[in-house]
Amino acid sequence: MRRRIAALTAILALTGASAMADSGSTTGRFDRPAHGFAPASTVLTQAQPEQAGLDAAPIRAVERRLAAWTADDAVDGHPLFPGAVGLLAHDGRIVDTYATGSAVRYADGSGTELPEEAQVPMRAGTIFDLASVTKLFTSLAVLQLVERGRADLETPVATYLPEFGVNGKESITVRQLLTHTSGLEPFLPLWRDWPDRASRIKAVMDVAPRDEPGTTYTYSDLNLITLGVLVERLTGSTLDTVVAERITRPLGMRDTGFNPPRAKLDRIAATEYQSAPDRGMIRGQVHDENAWALGGVAGHAGIFSTAHDLAVLGQALLNGGVYRGERILREQTVRMLFTNYTAAFPGDDHALGFELNQLWYMGGLTSPATAGHTGYTGTSFVVDPLSRSIAILLTNRVHPTRSWGSVNPARQAWATGLARALAVRPARGRDSWFSGAGDGTTATLTSPRLTSDDGRVSVSFAAFVDSEATDRLVLEASTDGGTTWQPVGLRASGRGAPTGTVDALSGTGHRAWWKVHGTAPARGGVTVRWRFTTDGSYTARGVHVDAIRVTESDGPLLDGEHDPAALTTDGFQLRSR
């Protein structure tokens, strides 16, 4: 129930309905979610982080982490990825574009380095194979057809593609393909098992569902390959032409499209050295084997782009479907890109084509309304309407081989860098205690021993929590000088706060201060501490604790606002934002 309430709150914010009074500007603020779309006239401009109300320090810190991941010995004697371009934008301003490492570095799949003069450095304008981020463009093209009345979300796909309506697929709808609830299996080796494009498309049309349509969420390339065919059938044009004429050209995305021209080859990042199929080092052609076997144009993969072009797309969505006066979708359609259609499958939140609420790559920008997608080649695209922010990370992580590891830590860190650059103002006074503990870490904030004649003391504080569900902020009490600690039950109030008495606080998406109260045993004296412990994977923005008071019947025993030095900290820091 709490998950559904959080999702509704995020959607209300996006559509302009306020769940809580909002006073003042949202610029530079994480704790003041925006309501509705950005002004339709918003056009991206360059700015320093400080000019957008941001703290530059977290951004510079994550830049250093990206650079470190390109080092020779970053992971098991090799880089996590040879190079990357990251872009961060907030409130219509591009506050960081950072390029590091190499666009081309290796000669073969074993990691033999090219001579230095043959290597190509990464640049801000490097063009990347987006891999599955392509699915977003196909989804936008489908929704344009829905707007024009050419397709309907609840109509069976077989109405438009009769050859699809076989082997149990007769009832699968357009919406089920867009939300990966069709029951189709994830993948078929089209490039290997079928000889030409026609037979490969027929294989997708003929496949039987693995599960009953509508009963499960299974991410599937076949869904988007089918939608690509649907777009071509209903428009009479090829998918690459539709994307160019109806999306990228109107938005001015000059470096975005399928099968980039050879004239741009020197700007394109290399991907993998493939031996099966025997393609050698791939550069300028789509990496995905099935998309390659379909001529480089497919609904699931094949588009190339730059960080800046993707930022334009992100801003168009934040603007409600328009950029520089060119509208690609109506506002009500864009809302469907930020609305969860898969609530029946918790953890797999999905809008129409876009993923939602995925901490593993959205990091500190995660919320029920945060939308995006990743690509196998090492790309990620995150759009957060609550802070009107965009985080784009493009890497060539499969160069020279896909076996060198996952870039999810980098994806998550990049988005979290922007989240931490946004301000959370103290609930009271000039600063609050903040912990952004990393994976597998514990931070504590501990009171001195407090003497009371009462059997119990009251503890009140404010908490701003943005963490993975399993990264928990707890209040504990000790009556034996810290040898043993007992959890203190907590009651919290505020937007998105848990109901009833709980033993810990955690979660993402609410972006609000909570008022928290607990009662701790105190006979013979008591020490209280706040402990924030993270597990081994995924972290969000972090937690703030403020306005600490411990009282007995005769009055206060500890006032953290007046005497913050009385608290002993290990992993918490006083922050003004």
Side-chain angles (χ1 to χ4, degrees):
M1 177 62 74
R2 289 198 299 271
R3 184 184 185 90
R4 297 182 69 179
I5 291 172
L8 177 60
T9 300
I11 293 166
L12 288 172
L14 178 64
T15 57
S18 175
M20 187 174 183
D22 179 30
S23 59
S25 172
T26 62
T27 297
R29 299 292 291 270
F30 188 80
D31 56 352
R32 192 173 282 167
H35 300 309
F37 293 112
S41 59
T42 303
V43 174
L44 289 168
T45 59
Q46 299 287 334
Q48 293 300 312
E50 296 85 353
Q51 293 173 307
L54 305 182
D55 179 4
I59 296 174
R60 302 299 171 238
V62 75
E63 286 179 347
R64 292 190 291 272
R65 293 187 70 185
L66 286 187
W69 274 312
T70 69
D72 291 344
D73 58 350
V75 181
D76 298 329
H78 57 74
L80 183 60
F81 43 82
V85 176
L87 184 147
L88 301 174
H90 170 65
D91 209 23
R93 283 167 278 194
I94 297 173
V95 297
D96 193 38
T97 304
Y98 181 71
T100 185
S102 302
V104 182
R105 180 170 175 176
Y106 298 103
D108 57 35
S110 300
T112 303
E113 290 202 3
L114 291 163
E116 187 172 349
E117 63 273 14
Q119 296 184 28
V120 179
M122 200 66 80
R123 297 184 174 91
T126 295
I127 298 170
F128 289 81
D129 177 346
L130 297 184
S132 284
V133 176
T134 299
K135 292 178 170 70
L136 303 184
F137 291 83
T138 305
S139 300
L140 296 177
V142 170
L143 291 173
Q144 289 176 334
L145 292 173
V146 171
E147 287 189 346
R148 290 168 169 81
R150 300 292 305 280
D152 182 84
L153 292 172
E154 305 307 326
T155 295
V157 177
T159 302
Y160 312 111
L161 301 175
E163 65 271 35
F164 182 79
V166 296
N167 297 325
K169 301 196 303 301
E170 295 84 356
S171 67
I172 292 175
T173 65
V174 174
R175 177 178 57 81
Q176 287 173 332
L177 293 183
L178 285 166
T179 58
H180 296 281
T181 56
S182 67
L184 297 183
E185 61 195 277
F187 171 83
L188 290 174
L190 302 174
W191 66 272
R192 187 192 68 194
D193 293 350
W194 287 269
D196 53 33
R197 188 180 191 279
S199 63
R200 290 161 183 154
I201 294 297
K202 186 176 186 302
V204 176
M205 297 298 107
D206 288 346
V207 71
R210 189 179 66 180
D211 300 293
E212 181 72 20
T215 64
T216 187
Y217 174 93
T218 301
Y219 178 83
S220 172
D221 284 352
L222 306 186
N223 290 326
L224 273 294
I225 292 174
T226 301
L227 287 172
V229 175
L230 182 148
V231 169
E232 294 186 335
R233 184 72 55 84
L234 294 182
T235 62
S237 298
T238 58
L239 180 61
D240 55 339
T241 299
V242 172
V243 168
E245 292 182 350
R246 301 187 181 187
I247 301 172
T248 61
R249 197 171 299 153
L251 294 180
M253 299 170 67
R254 297 181 180 87
D255 290 319
T256 302
F258 295 93
N259 289 327
R262 188 163 185 81
K264 294 185 178 183
L265 182 62
D266 62 343
R267 294 178 53 201
I268 298 175
T271 54
E272 189 175 30
Y273 185 93
Q274 284 188 359
S275 55
D278 186 9
R279 301 174 64 194
M281 186 63 72
I282 301 169
R283 188 184 184 199
Q285 292 185 329
V286 61
H287 170 262
D288 182 272
E289 295 92 340
N290 281 345
W292 168 72
L294 293 170
V297 180
H300 72 296
I303 286 183
F304 288 70
S305 189
T306 63
H308 185 272
D309 272 10
L310 286 179
V312 169
L313 176 62
Q315 192 61 50
L317 299 178
L318 291 176
N319 291 356
V322 63
Y323 191 81
R324 291 191 184 274
E326 295 287 344
R327 180 166 292 282
I328 61 167
L329 287 176
R330 301 169 188 160
E331 284 192 3
Q332 57 265 39
T333 305
V334 176
R335 291 190 184 102
M336 299 165 79
L337 305 179
F338 296 99
T339 300
N340 184 19
Y341 286 83
T342 56
F345 311 111
D348 291 316
D349 297 15
H350 216 285
L352 298 182
F354 285 68
E355 296 172 334
L356 301 173
N357 204 25
Q358 299 300 308
L359 182 63
W360 60 275
Y361 70 91
M362 297 175 178
L365 295 179
T366 300
S367 80
T370 304
H373 216 285
T374 62
Y376 188 79
T377 50
T379 58
S380 58
F381 175 65
V382 178
V383 180
D384 174 26
L386 301 188
S387 68
R388 293 182 179 166
S389 296
I390 303 164
I392 295 162
L393 182 64
L394 306 179
T395 79
N396 52 349
R397 75 103 186 163
V398 296
H399 179 56
T401 172
R402 67 187 69 187
S403 65
W404 277 5
S406 167
V407 295
N408 289 346
R411 289 166 164 156
Q412 183 187 140
W414 186 246
T416 298
L418 179 53
R420 290 179 178 168
L422 292 158
V424 172
R425 295 300 183 190
R428 186 179 302 166
R430 294 182 299 179
D431 43 36
S432 65
W433 292 101
F434 170 74
S435 176
D439 291 335
T441 304
T442 291
T444 58
L445 184 65
T446 308
S447 78
R449 184 171 176 81
L450 305 172
T451 302
S452 172
D453 293 331
D454 296 350
R456 305 185 73 80
V457 295
S458 174
V459 183
S460 64
F461 61 99
F464 189 101
V465 178
D466 193 78
S467 72
E468 184 185 13
T470 50
D471 294 349
R472 294 152 47 96
L473 175 67
V474 300
L475 177 66
E476 297 173 317
S478 174
T479 56
D480 57 10
T483 301
T484 60
W485 295 90
Q486 300 298 321
V488 176
L490 302 173
R491 296 184 67 87
S493 61
R495 184 177 64 231
T499 57
T501 300
V502 297
D503 61 0
L505 305 174
S506 64
T508 59
H510 42 77
R511 303 191 186 180
W513 280 100
W514 295 339
K515 294 180 179 179
V516 189
H517 299 272
T519 302
R523 186 72 63 188
V526 64
T527 305
V528 295
R529 74 175 182 185
W530 290 259
R531 178 172 57 83
F532 179 49
T533 299
T534 62
D535 63 13
S537 62
Y538 310 149
T539 55
R541 188 186 184 281
V543 299
H544 292 255
V545 176
D546 199 13
I548 293 171
R549 282 179 64 87
V550 182
T551 60
E552 61 175 353
S553 58
D554 290 339
L557 296 172
L558 173 68
D559 187 331
E561 290 300 302
H562 289 92
D563 190 13
L567 296 162
T568 301
T569 176
D570 182 3
F572 279 87
Q573 298 176 330
L574 280 174
R575 295 273 296 271
S576 63
R577 52 180 298 144

